Amino acid sequence: MTVRKQRLLKRHRQRKRLFMLAALLALVLLGALVAWWLVPLVLALGWIAHEAWFADHLFYRPRDDYRHAFPPDVPALPARLEQGRLLLDGDIGAAETLILEVRVTAGPLGRLFDPQVWIGDDRQDFERGVDGLRYLNLSGQQEALRAGSLRIRGRFCKLAGTATLHVLSNPDYAGRRLLIVAPHADDAELAAFGLYSRSPEVAIVTLTQGEIEAGRYRRFGLDPAAAARLKGRLRCWDSLAVPLWGGVPQSRCVQLGYYCLQLPAMAAEPQRSFGSRESGESDIRSARRHNPLPLPGDADGAPTWSNLVADLRALLEHFRPEVVVTPHPELDPHADHVAASRALLEAAAGSAWRPGTLLLYANHLHDNDRWPMGPAEGGIALPPVIEPLPADGLWSPCLDAGTRLDKAAALAMQHDLQTPLPAKKRLRRLIQRFLAGRRWPLTGEDEFFRKTVRRHELFWVRPCTADAPAMHAHGPEQTGDQPLHAL
């Protein structure tokens, strides 16, 4: 976790403890002054209300404005909503990525149900009680916009009458030589399956084995270390095999075999080896036997930062990508994700080959563990950004129905996304379905099936310039104490 994520979580827990203390005092007074039997009834109703409406991890206020910044050369067109249609003062030209900045305000029912904005037949959801600037993704709606027939309406919310349309133009990066950096097996599929399944020349490098949190594999009679080793082997296989579903052969997939949540520690002491926290292993060569090419780390098998940077440098020079897809170091707080992009940029700085463009993705967030909000198959609105980010470009390619189904199937092949839901989460989903109107997809139980099987994929576009290695990275803040999904 980053220091900021720890700070947000600490504040959230403090507020929760204060609320629980006040609620306990109120229950004591209720039982003593009114009737004792009201106490268990209120407890049960309070727990149901919590599961239905207050169980989200939201580390900001719904009335906070999002604060996205765009490069100065990005056109910003005045727009207005008239009788449910979006009308522009200007021409979008050939732009393919369209972001509408507009104030969204929840109605009375928008505190019980997720506020929805319908853009034609697309749906994008926001926080209950929302009242601030939000950024709708209108990519794919160009034809209706030009014709002045694009209808936008709010459900459980209303939109301001005036707005700003940010108009971004990019090449189709699927036609460039691509290298996708995946800190873990499944990161490439979550962020970029639609992109890489269209690319004729793409390579995928996975940095870690993914061996931690292997408790469910102990049902095979394995001790914790053996269970971690089995999970690591399975996820290494996933990283090499699943991309073939998107047309990427094993000869263009590389597994580096470093260990989960050890990348930040490796960065702090580049020459020191950091073995697995759970499997007992400390030689990365056990995960590399199916790689299509030799790498510098094969020489001693040491899980060191120096080896990781050397491996990535060799891969850059071998595949010679024009575009590298990597985690967003300011937006995605997962410790391994931040370290992965830091290692890539160190490698690029010393490489004989430097890519021209970085496409940055976020599979996790600091502020909101439900983004993208709303059900699967909807569009991806821009995420909560309360503290401003660098002013990067944006590229949001659209996925057709067939690609979305293929993406869901690729996720279903990932062993780490097949874990059955615990009983408490199943009950929470049942309560939220009937009281809050939420729905989950049939393609898989893991939350990522809802979050990532969408009409859009979303990438921040940043030049890979000579000063890029700094990249505002949060590496020194990393502690790596726990995986993000354990929060």
Side-chain angles (χ1 to χ4, degrees):
M1 280 194 301
T2 61
V3 169
R4 178 166 174 252
K5 183 74 176 183
Q6 289 176 320
R7 186 173 68 248
L8 292 169
L9 185 60
K10 181 179 179 181
R11 185 174 64 185
H12 173 77
R13 288 171 173 167
Q14 286 174 340
R15 291 175 176 174
K16 193 170 183 178
R17 283 194 291 266
L18 289 173
F19 175 81
M20 294 297 291
L21 183 61
L24 179 61
L25 179 60
L27 284 173
V28 170
L29 293 174
L30 181 68
L33 302 178
V34 184
W36 68 267
W37 56 267
L38 287 175
V39 174
L41 178 62
V42 170
L43 276 174
L45 293 176
W47 179 80
I48 291 172
H50 174 269
E51 297 301 297
W53 295 296
F54 304 107
D56 296 344
H57 285 155
L58 198 69
F59 299 128
Y60 58 95
R61 298 170 300 178
R63 63 180 180 271
D64 287 340
D65 288 337
Y66 290 6
R67 302 173 66 187
H68 287 276
F70 299 90
D73 59 343
V74 171
L77 304 181
R80 61 192 185 278
L81 281 167
E82 292 185 2
Q83 298 180 339
R85 292 184 303 144
L86 182 66
L87 304 178
L88 297 179
D89 295 332
D91 183 15
I92 63 173
E96 83 297 322
T97 298
L98 305 171
I99 305 297
L100 186 70
E101 178 182 344
V102 63
R103 180 166 294 276
V104 180
T105 302
L109 290 178
R111 299 182 180 278
L112 297 176
F113 301 97
D114 296 332
Q116 308 165 13
V117 178
W118 287 84
I119 307 160
D121 63 349
D122 184 20
R123 169 181 164 180
Q124 297 175 26
D125 286 27
F126 294 95
E127 311 88 345
R128 287 188 292 255
V130 61
D131 185 12
L133 285 179
R134 298 295 183 264
Y135 293 79
L136 303 173
N137 193 338
L138 273 54
S139 304
Q141 306 282 359
Q142 290 89 330
E143 185 176 340
L145 261 178
R146 293 189 186 99
S149 61
L150 181 61
R151 304 197 70 84
I152 300 183
R153 63 182 176 88
R155 188 177 185 216
F156 311 132
C157 64
K158 63 180 180 179
L159 281 68
T162 58
T164 301
L165 185 70
H166 301 276
V167 180
L168 299 105
S169 298
N170 300 277
D172 184 358
Y173 292 107
R176 305 290 178 87
R177 288 195 308 277
L178 293 176
L179 175 66
I180 298 178
V181 176
H184 315 97
D186 73 27
D187 278 321
E189 285 68 39
L190 295 172
F193 179 86
L195 169 59
Y196 81 61
S197 64
R198 293 194 300 115
S199 177
E201 196 169 358
V202 58
I204 299 174
V205 54
T206 306
L207 273 56
T208 67
Q209 297 184 28
E211 81 286 358
I212 67 168
E213 295 185 323
R216 77 186 187 99
Y217 293 93
R218 295 192 63 187
R219 69 184 188 277
F220 300 131
L222 303 175
D223 62 41
R229 289 192 292 272
L230 174 60
K231 184 181 180 185
R233 287 173 55 206
L234 287 168
R235 297 200 72 197
C236 285
W237 185 91
D238 291 341
S239 70
L240 299 173
V242 174
L244 184 59
W245 183 253
V248 184
Q250 185 187 331
S251 61
R252 299 189 67 82
C253 296
V254 179
Q255 168 59 248
L256 296 186
Y258 294 93
Y259 300 105
C260 271
L261 291 179
Q262 294 289 51
L263 302 189
M266 290 162 51
E269 300 180 68
Q271 304 303 323
R272 179 182 167 189
S273 292
F274 288 86
S276 173
R277 294 182 174 191
E278 297 186 12
S279 73
E281 293 186 329
S282 58
D283 191 327
I284 55 178
R285 289 174 292 193
S286 64
R288 295 181 171 214
R289 54 185 176 273
H290 300 301
N291 281 349
L293 72 158
L295 293 168
D298 298 344
D300 59 9
T304 66
W305 185 259
S306 297
N307 274 348
L308 171 58
V309 172
D311 289 338
L312 290 172
R313 185 179 302 122
L315 290 168
L316 288 172
E317 294 172 356
H318 176 79
F319 290 114
R320 299 172 67 85
E322 298 168 279
V323 177
V324 176
V325 184
T326 190
H328 196 305
E330 294 90 10
L331 189 57
D332 189 324
H334 193 296
D336 282 344
H337 287 219
V338 178
S341 291
R342 179 179 173 184
L344 167 73
L345 291 165
E346 285 191 25
S351 173
W353 177 263
R354 180 185 289 273
T357 302
L358 302 174
L359 295 182
L360 308 175
Y361 63 84
N363 287 342
H364 309 277
L365 282 190
H366 286 89
D367 302 307
N368 182 330
D369 61 1
R370 274 190 56 78
W371 179 82
M373 290 170 269
E377 300 293 326
I380 296 182
L382 296 200
V385 170
I386 309 305
E387 297 182 7
L389 296 174
D392 295 315
L394 282 173
W395 184 51
S396 188
C398 298
L399 279 58
D400 60 29
T403 303
R404 296 197 297 270
L405 182 59
D406 280 349
K407 182 169 185 173
L411 299 184
M413 298 178 200
Q414 298 282 351
H415 284 82
D416 211 41
L417 301 182
Q418 297 172 6
T419 305
L421 288 178
K424 181 180 179 181
K425 186 167 283 189
R426 287 182 183 276
L427 181 57
R428 174 181 293 169
R429 286 192 178 183
L430 187 66
I431 292 170
Q432 290 182 348
R433 177 178 179 179
F434 286 103
L435 294 184
R438 288 184 175 172
R439 297 291 185 269
W440 284 266
L442 299 175
T443 49
E445 291 186 330
D446 191 277
E447 188 74 354
F448 278 118
F449 286 89
R450 180 193 65 78
K451 289 181 176 183
T452 65
V453 182
R454 298 284 181 144
R455 293 183 178 224
H456 308 110
E457 289 178 336
L458 183 62
F459 304 97
W460 286 257
V461 183
R462 186 176 296 183
C464 189
T465 57
D467 60 349
M471 205 172 174
H472 307 281
H474 294 292
E477 292 184 348
Q478 299 299 322
T479 65
D481 289 337
Q482 54 184 319
L484 193 68
H485 56 77
L487 296 180

